[in-house]
Amino acid sequence: MGFKSVEKKIVNEIAATLDSIAVEDVEQLVAEIEKAERVFFVGVGRVLLSLEGIAKRLAHLGVQTVVVGQITEPAITENDLLIVGSGSGESSFPLAIAKKAKSFAATVAHIGSNANSSMKEHTDLFIRIPVQTKLSLPGEIPSVQPMTSLFEQCLLLLGDSIALMMVEEKEIDMHSLWQYHANLE
């Protein structure tokens, strides 16, 4: 199979998935991000890479972001938001961190594929990226891609969509954002 054929399949999967995310859940997440003192992120593997991209982009918008485990991580408080990325909602590390964050009265949002996972009892908000899982849940978007690629791709694009929503809502001058860009390059 050639590049154009594969690329078209991936882009179509992403478009179908993003179109299936509940708008009101995304709007609620944006409201939680804007009200939080700091936004913490936790995930593992490629999900973590997508979350790190989201954290960086939100930092460019002036949001104080923290990736759980970084050496300068401050204590989480009731004024903070933890965003958990876990398709299954069963990954041990994110699950333990969500539980711990709730014990400090932080708000916890879970972005995942399975609304009825173990994560459910530790979260205040769930945003479903309805990609294919091992559970074959209703409304899942099938994928020809390996493993959970579609989830990770859509997670990053969801983060970029949230950032652009915030830019447009606050009428942020895009050129002014360069002040937040890394300059020790």
Side-chain angles (χ1 to χ4, degrees):
M1 244 187 247
F3 169 71
K4 284 297 176 185
S5 172
V6 169
E7 177 234 0
K8 187 167 183 63
K9 288 178 184 182
I10 291 171
V11 169
N12 288 340
E13 287 181 7
I14 291 169
T17 302
L18 292 176
D19 283 347
S20 299
I21 296 173
V23 172
E24 50 284 345
D25 294 342
V26 176
E27 289 171 347
Q28 187 178 351
L29 180 57
V30 170
E32 292 296 338
I33 290 168
E34 291 177 338
K35 124 178 144 176
E37 187 173 304
R38 289 176 300 236
V39 180
F40 289 70
F41 294 85
V42 67
V44 294
R46 285 173 42 115
V47 169
L48 177 59
L49 295 174
S50 294
L51 291 172
E52 287 174 334
I54 296 168
K56 181 68 171 176
R57 184 60 70 227
L58 291 181
H60 288 150
L61 301 183
V63 175
Q64 288 189 31
T65 62
V66 178
V67 175
V68 171
Q70 69 186 40
I71 196 70
T72 56
E73 177 187 343
I76 198 166
T77 73
E78 70 276 358
N79 301 318
D80 299 322
L81 169 66
L82 172 68
I83 296 178
V84 179
S86 175
S88 68
E90 302 295 342
S91 300
S92 336
F93 180 67
L95 196 52
I97 296 299
K99 183 178 179 181
K100 189 82 169 181
K102 286 310 296 174
S103 77
F104 292 111
T107 301
V108 177
H110 172 211
I111 303 173
S113 303
N114 180 7
N116 294 311
S117 69
S118 299
M119 193 71 69
K120 185 177 184 174
E121 79 177 88
H122 308 296
T123 57
D124 302 291
L125 171 62
F126 177 69
I127 300 88
R128 183 175 186 221
I129 297 178
V131 298
Q132 185 175 347
T133 67
K134 295 180 243 176
L135 304 172
S136 297
L137 301 169
E140 288 184 348
I141 307 297
S143 179
V144 297
Q145 299 182 68
M147 313 293 286
T148 57
S149 293
L150 183 58
F151 179 78
E152 294 129 16
Q153 293 157 352
C154 291
L155 176 59
L156 180 62
L157 291 173
L158 172 62
D160 283 343
S161 299
I162 286 169
L164 186 55
M165 288 169 66
M166 293 171 68
V167 165
E168 290 179 353
E169 179 184 301
K170 296 178 180 188
E171 298 180 357
I172 295 172
D173 170 38
M174 294 283 229
H175 186 72
S176 72
L177 296 178
W178 286 103
Q179 68 182 316
Y180 298 111
H181 195 278
N183 60 5
L184 294 177
E185 312 175 298

